[in-house]
Amino acid sequence: MIGIKDVARAAGVSQATASRALSGRGSVSEQTRDRVRAAAADLGFQVSYHASSLATGRSRNIGVVLPYVNRWYFSTVLGGLTRQIIDAGYDLTLYDFRGGLHRQSVLNDFLLRKRLDGVITVGLRLDDADATRLLSLGIPIVSIGGSLPGIASLTVDERAIGRLTADHLVSLGHTRIAHIGGEHESDLYFHISRSRREGYHASVDAAGLERRSAWSVISDYTVNSAYAVAKSLLADPHNRPTAVCCASDEMAIGVILAARDLGLHVPEQLSVIGVDNHPLGAVFQLTTIDQFVEEQGTRAALALLDELGDAQEGSSGVLPGLSELPLEMVVRSSTAAPDETQNPTFQ
Amino acid sequence: MIGIKDVARAAGVSQATASRALSGRGSVSEQTRDRVRAAAADLGFQVSYHASSLATGRSRNIGVVLPYVNRWYFSTVLGGLTRQIIDAGYDLTLYDFRGGLHRQSVLNDFLLRKRLDGVITVGLRLDDADATRLLSLGIPIVSIGGSLPGIASLTVDERAIGRLTADHLVSLGHTRIAHIGGEHESDLYFHISRSRREGYHASVDAAGLERRSAWSVISDYTVNSAYAVAKSLLADPHNRPTAVCCASDEMAIGVILAARDLGLHVPEQLSVIGVDNHPLGAVFQLTTIDQFVEEQGTRAALALLDELGDAQEGSSGVLPGLSELPLEMVVRSSTAAPDETQNPTFQ
């Protein structure tokens, strides 16, 4: 049987170098790496990762746990993660909770198979027991947007996001500002939605504006759901808001489409602001808070690779406590000062 | 050290049953499974999957290879895949080509690590050499929408899709029908885009309609890109089409938004039809061809699990050659007969 020794001899390098070159880990020049791989290919040598895992205790495998792979935010974060993880020579094992359906089997069974070197969780609210179970794996864990006790988190200041969206509308002179958020009790990222709405409350309270319960609306994070609730929110011309803060761009697009279908002009009769910098926002001229979604994945992957000793060039060196993610307001033309001539008297 | 024997004794079952209960494979009653897991938890027993893989030659791991995890079609298929794969007790290892960036490392390196029991490829155009390399893994492979020589494929009749979209517009009386497709040479799913346009050509040729080169447009499969090309396509009132076939719903939505921004009414002045049954289509009242995207993932996973001998209830029993996926037209109000009073004379 062909062994690593044979490959090393054929390539004219040490066994350690051959091993590094074939595993994709450690520093080996491009040239050496190519030579070793060519030698391995010539000899028909293939690394058995099962055997090498048992020997090194490393699986070269990172687990990613998220609630819904088929929603834009999560698939975009995943895009950022796959890039870094594959570049670093790791496999990515995907655990999709599918809302809550697979939650127990992932936490109780899959993660315990002990073939992961590290775990990244995205947007999950887990309780203490779940967090303890994760920590008991004894491997590095990084969380994006999670509130996992004892686990290093990359966080976006969700309250600041809510506050920024409302502050922008207040600064334009709006006094009738509604909020569409996503606090379904069943949602695994309820805590994020809640914080965004708290930021909105803080902003309108600070401005001394009225808060009407009819203007605090809950929706899914989708265009369709927000479209439906916005139809109701905007139906009564004498009691409708002149501006809407949304917890996501997809929601904001739903509001814009509902406004159009009601014959309301954006921004003359209704200002709308979202969160995300979703690519679709460009077509709708949507004002938004960019939270650099793909970059969140990139950073989390680099932070975990750091801990695994596999930092690549451009590593962020993120440490727990130094891990707040950036935000940036993108002002387009879906927000403007309210035009009182265009709106019926407020009752 | 605690062994499977101890767990079996504590749970009062045979070792084989205990093993099945802990691995999540084979038929074990819910009750027995719970009892065995409780016994394992009490004793602190955890399966080492590394060791069990070496013993059985099975990794309980399915690889999924796709070109862009962050695009709607692929993340939706992935949602269908994760459900079945996790239900069957397998890990899902995700390989994202990121367009073409990771293509070589995935094909040359990652897949050869020999820790996969099977592979599902989604929407990939691979050449003979790539297909041979995949087949040389010696494990079951299922492809969705691929044209991989020698590999079992679940296929949608892409030509029929293109033909159906155009036939619908022809049947409504349109004679000026454009097509927006996605044939960028660099795209890994070029072959799909090409087949859809061929179907459109067949339809308009059969109806004896004029084909203008200006009406055959190439775009990305995104709202934004189609919005931009549609602005040009629709700009000249004397030379614009009265109907547009799009290769995806996202493209069709871009066309509807461009039409609105040009002051054109849909469907009175422009009919638009897409492909996918994207959830966003509902808000736009978009007529489309449903290709059951999540179901494509479900079916592919079940077909592979069949081959692995792990078919679950509801298995499709799909075999190579019996594997055409369903299509269904969803007619909403974005398409209608052309209203000649609303359109300038055709020049």
Side-chain angles (χ1 to χ4, degrees):
Chain A
M1 193 182 153
I2 305 295
I4 186 80
K5 199 183 294 187
D6 306 299
V7 175
R9 194 178 309 122
V13 299
S14 71
Q15 279 188 49
T17 302
S19 172
R20 280 204 303 279
L22 290 175
S23 70
R25 294 180 64 187
S27 55
V28 178
S29 75
E30 189 78 16
Q31 204 184 359
T32 302
R33 187 176 156 136
D34 289 348
R35 201 163 72 237
V36 172
R37 289 192 175 184
D42 284 350
L43 295 169
F45 175 80
Q46 280 167 347
V47 179
S48 164
Y49 273 81
H50 286 148
S52 89
S53 294
L54 280 179
T56 64
R58 278 285 180 97
S59 304
R60 306 206 59 70
N61 197 348
I62 290 173
V64 173
V65 188
L66 46 73
Y68 300 98
V69 72
N70 55 0
R71 295 197 180 175
W72 176 82
Y73 170 83
F74 298 102
S75 65
T76 304
V77 169
L78 191 54
L81 289 170
T82 57
R83 173 170 199 150
Q84 298 300 329
I85 289 174
I86 291 183
D87 272 355
Y90 281 78
D91 274 341
L92 185 159
T93 305
L94 177 67
Y95 301 102
D96 181 358
F97 274 18
R98 290 190 66 87
L101 195 64
H102 287 151
R103 179 194 179 114
Q104 287 312 318
S105 53
V106 168
L107 288 172
N108 290 337
D109 194 8
F110 284 78
L111 292 175
L112 299 179
R113 291 183 179 176
K114 292 184 169 295
R115 54 181 172 200
L116 301 172
D117 299 318
V119 171
I120 296 171
T121 73
V122 188
L124 292 179
R125 177 183 55 163
L126 299 178
D127 57 25
D128 283 358
D130 291 338
T132 304
R133 240 178 322 178
L134 270 180
L135 288 167
S136 75
L137 296 174
I139 55 177
I141 300 172
V142 170
S143 130
I144 303 177
S147 62
L148 309 185
I151 293 176
S153 289
L154 305 183
T155 53
V156 174
D157 186 341
E158 306 293 351
R159 203 167 180 282
I161 284 182
R163 172 113 201 191
L164 272 170
T165 56
D167 280 354
H168 173 65
L169 298 169
V170 168
S171 75
L172 290 169
H174 289 276
T175 56
R176 296 142 63 180
I177 303 172
H179 186 268
I180 299 183
E183 302 94 322
H184 289 292
E185 276 295 343
S186 61
D187 261 334
L188 291 159
Y189 41 85
F190 178 88
H191 59 295
I192 292 173
S193 305
R194 171 57 59 87
S195 299
R196 290 187 186 173
R197 193 181 301 269
E198 284 171 0
Y200 153 77
H201 285 162
S203 173
V204 297
D205 289 353
L209 302 179
E210 183 190 11
R211 272 205 242 154
R212 292 192 175 191
S213 62
W215 292 350
S216 273
V217 181
I218 291 175
S219 157
D220 288 341
Y221 278 82
T222 62
V223 173
N224 290 356
S225 172
Y227 175 87
V229 300
K231 277 278 185 80
S232 303
L233 175 68
L234 303 174
D236 176 357
H238 297 289
N239 287 291
R240 62 176 166 76
T242 61
V244 185
C245 299
C246 298
S248 79
D249 283 352
E250 287 169 279
M251 289 166 158
I253 289 165
V255 174
I256 290 174
L257 291 169
R260 286 183 183 178
D261 286 354
L262 290 166
L264 294 173
H265 294 285
V266 174
E268 294 82 355
Q269 293 171 285
L270 189 75
S271 284
V272 183
I273 183 170
V275 176
D276 277 338
N277 206 10
H278 190 294
L280 212 45
V283 179
F284 290 91
Q285 283 297 311
L286 182 63
T287 297
T288 187
I289 311 286
D290 193 344
Q291 60 163 331
F292 304 97
V293 176
E294 182 168 337
E295 171 83 8
Q296 292 183 18
T298 304
R299 285 194 177 211
L302 290 174
L304 187 65
L305 291 167
D306 259 358
E307 292 213 39
L308 293 171
D310 276 305
Q312 304 289 300
E313 213 179 330
S315 162
S316 62
V318 171
L319 294 169
L322 290 173
S323 50
E324 196 155 296
L325 293 161
L327 296 174
E328 189 174 302
M329 184 168 280
V330 179
V331 180
R332 300 197 188 98
S333 57
S334 70
T335 50
D339 180 349
E340 293 306 332
T341 66
Q342 299 252 3
N343 288 299
T345 316
F346 184 40
Q347 292 184 338
Chain B
M1 192 182 150
I2 304 295
I4 186 79
K5 200 185 291 187
D6 306 296
V7 175
R9 194 181 307 123
V13 299
S14 70
Q15 278 188 47
T17 302
S19 171
R20 280 203 304 279
L22 291 174
S23 71
R25 294 180 64 186
S27 55
V28 178
S29 75
E30 189 79 17
Q31 204 182 358
T32 302
R33 186 174 157 137
D34 289 349
R35 202 164 69 238
V36 172
R37 289 193 175 183
D42 284 349
L43 295 169
F45 174 81
Q46 281 168 346
V47 179
S48 164
Y49 275 80
H50 285 150
S52 90
S53 292
L54 280 178
T56 64
R58 278 285 179 96
S59 304
R60 304 205 60 68
N61 199 348
I62 291 173
V64 173
V65 188
L66 44 74
Y68 300 98
V69 72
N70 55 358
R71 295 197 181 175
W72 176 81
Y73 170 83
F74 297 101
S75 66
T76 303
V77 169
L78 190 54
L81 290 170
T82 57
R83 171 169 200 152
Q84 299 301 328
I85 289 174
I86 292 183
D87 272 356
Y90 282 77
D91 275 340
L92 184 159
T93 304
L94 177 67
Y95 301 101
D96 182 358
F97 274 17
R98 290 189 67 85
L101 194 65
H102 287 151
R103 178 193 180 117
Q104 288 312 319
S105 53
V106 168
L107 288 172
N108 290 336
D109 193 9
F110 284 79
L111 292 175
L112 299 179
R113 290 183 180 177
K114 291 182 168 296
R115 55 182 172 198
L116 301 172
D117 298 319
V119 171
I120 296 171
T121 72
V122 188
L124 291 180
R125 177 182 55 163
L126 299 178
D127 57 25
D128 283 359
D130 292 337
T132 303
R133 240 177 325 175
L134 269 180
L135 287 167
S136 75
L137 296 173
I139 56 176
I141 300 172
V142 170
S143 130
I144 303 177
S147 61
L148 309 185
I151 293 175
S153 288
L154 305 182
T155 52
V156 174
D157 186 341
E158 305 294 349
R159 201 167 182 283
I161 284 182
R163 171 112 202 194
L164 273 170
T165 56
D167 280 354
H168 173 65
L169 299 169
V170 168
S171 75
L172 289 168
H174 289 275
T175 56
R176 295 142 64 182
I177 303 173
H179 186 268
I180 300 184
E183 301 94 323
H184 288 292
E185 277 295 343
S186 61
D187 261 335
L188 291 159
Y189 40 86
F190 178 89
H191 59 295
I192 292 173
S193 305
R194 169 59 58 90
S195 299
R196 290 187 186 174
R197 192 181 303 266
E198 285 170 0
Y200 152 78
H201 285 162
S203 174
V204 297
D205 289 353
L209 302 180
E210 183 191 10
R211 274 206 241 156
R212 292 192 176 193
S213 63
W215 293 349
S216 273
V217 181
I218 291 175
S219 158
D220 287 342
Y221 278 82
T222 63
V223 173
N224 290 358
S225 171
Y227 175 87
V229 299
K231 277 280 185 78
S232 303
L233 176 67
L234 303 173
D236 176 357
H238 297 288
N239 286 292
R240 63 176 165 76
T242 62
V244 184
C245 299
C246 299
S248 80
D249 282 353
E250 288 169 277
M251 289 165 158
I253 289 165
V255 174
I256 290 175
L257 291 169
R260 286 184 183 179
D261 286 353
L262 289 166
L264 294 173
H265 294 284
V266 174
E268 294 82 355
Q269 292 171 285
L270 188 75
S271 285
V272 183
I273 184 169
V275 176
D276 277 339
N277 206 10
H278 190 294
L280 213 47
V283 179
F284 290 91
Q285 284 298 310
L286 182 64
T287 296
T288 187
I289 311 286
D290 194 344
Q291 61 163 331
F292 304 97
V293 177
E294 183 169 334
E295 172 82 9
Q296 293 182 18
T298 304
R299 284 193 177 214
L302 290 174
L304 187 65
L305 291 167
D306 259 357
E307 291 213 41
L308 293 172
D310 275 306
Q312 303 288 302
E313 212 179 330
S315 162
S316 61
V318 171
L319 294 170
L322 291 173
S323 50
E324 194 153 297
L325 293 161
L327 296 175
E328 188 175 301
M329 183 168 278
V330 179
V331 180
R332 300 198 188 97
S333 57
S334 70
T335 50
D339 180 350
E340 293 306 332
T341 66
Q342 300 253 3
N343 289 300
T345 315
F346 183 41
Q347 292 184 337

